Amino acid sequence: MRGLDWSREYVFTADGRPYDHNAYPHLGAPGGPWDAYDDPRVRQIYLQWASRLGKSFFGQCCTLHTSDCQPGPMMFASADEKLAEEVIGRTYKMVERCPVLREQLRPERLRRDDRIDLRHCIVYVAWARSVSTLADKSIRVGHANEIDKWVHLSTSKEGDPLALFENRFKDHPNHKQILESTPTQKKRSRVERGLMQSTNCRYWVPCPHCGRYQRLLLGRGNPEEPGVVWE
């Protein structure tokens, strides 16, 4: 079942709202993230978006979809332990509200912060400052959150944490990696580098007056480069 169709039927947000395609049209747009996730040729999906646009939410939906439709070892990794636990806490709530997955959860007293145990698969939790959480696991689907904030400690004897994350997928030629972040410093941003090496897609929308498709850009005032201009 396609990821978008499955999510519209079974996904509820952490606060109980059903998946709303109109709230996240950029996820399901033709050629967008959901099409990339469903495409067996695609291995890595880079999302360079501003905050509060659904980067983490998309990764959570992919995790839930995989748990139901093609169970296998998964990992969620973030910049630090606090952020990882916050996102996993929301993911637990999404699983609790998912009608096809909620019965697979362990009783609340047996749940762990460092992994989500379901009947047919495990979602490991990791963070950049902990090499041990990123090591010695074989993963088929992984979600790397806020990769521009991942720090490689100068005192560490291990490799770069993002490289450690990517090494987890070697045993699975059909793996999927979702790597997302708000961008930081231009030309030094991890997510920008990944985006520029990819298909480098953008979200285009039609003008409500003439129907011409365009990117939503601010501050463009001339006809050759249309965009949003406030009066």
Side-chain angles (χ1 to χ4, degrees), residues 83-188:
L83 186 54
E85 289 181 351
E86 287 176 356
V87 176
I88 283 299
R90 297 199 301 269
T91 306
Y92 263 119
K93 291 180 180 178
M94 290 175 66
V95 177
E96 289 172 349
R97 291 180 165 90
C98 180
V100 293
L101 291 176
R102 64 167 70 106
E103 298 301 323
Q104 295 189 33
L105 272 176
R106 287 183 172 185
E108 193 166 354
R109 59 186 174 80
L110 298 177
R111 295 177 193 174
R112 297 167 52 170
D113 293 332
D114 63 341
R115 57 193 273 178
I116 297 178
D117 291 287
L118 298 172
R119 186 176 302 133
H120 304 299
C121 61
I122 297 174
V123 182
Y124 296 99
V125 182
W127 51 94
R129 291 177 177 269
S130 173
V131 171
S132 61
T133 61
L134 287 165
D136 298 327
K137 298 175 181 73
S138 178
I139 305 301
R140 184 163 57 80
V141 175
H143 172 195
N145 168 250
E146 292 295 350
I147 60 175
D148 272 15
K149 297 177 182 176
W150 288 28
V151 177
H152 185 202
L153 298 177
S154 59
T155 56
S156 175
K157 296 180 181 179
E158 302 291 338
D160 178 79
L162 189 57
L164 292 175
F165 174 81
E166 293 179 345
N167 284 339
R168 303 281 65 80
F169 300 87
K170 289 181 177 179
D171 295 337
H172 299 276
N174 63 335
H175 65 262
K176 289 281 184 182
Q177 299 177 35
I178 300 160
L179 305 107
E180 46 92 347
S181 185
T182 50
T184 52
Q185 190 172 354
K186 193 171 180 63
K187 295 187 177 180
R188 296 187 62 181

Side-chain angles (χ1 to χ4, degrees), residues 31-82:
W34 274 125
D35 278 356
Y37 171 79
D38 290 327
D39 190 333
R41 299 168 298 177
V42 175
R43 295 285 160 262
Q44 293 180 313
I45 302 171
Y46 282 92
L47 307 178
Q48 179 184 295
W49 299 349
S51 60
R52 311 306 301 169
L53 288 179
K55 300 186 299 296
S56 299
F57 179 65
F58 174 69
Q60 290 168 310
C61 291
C62 292
T63 298
L64 269 60
H65 175 273
T66 301
S67 300
D68 181 45
C69 297
Q70 198 177 13
M74 291 179 277
M75 175 179 283
F76 170 77
S78 195
D80 56 56
E81 184 176 7
K82 182 176 182 294

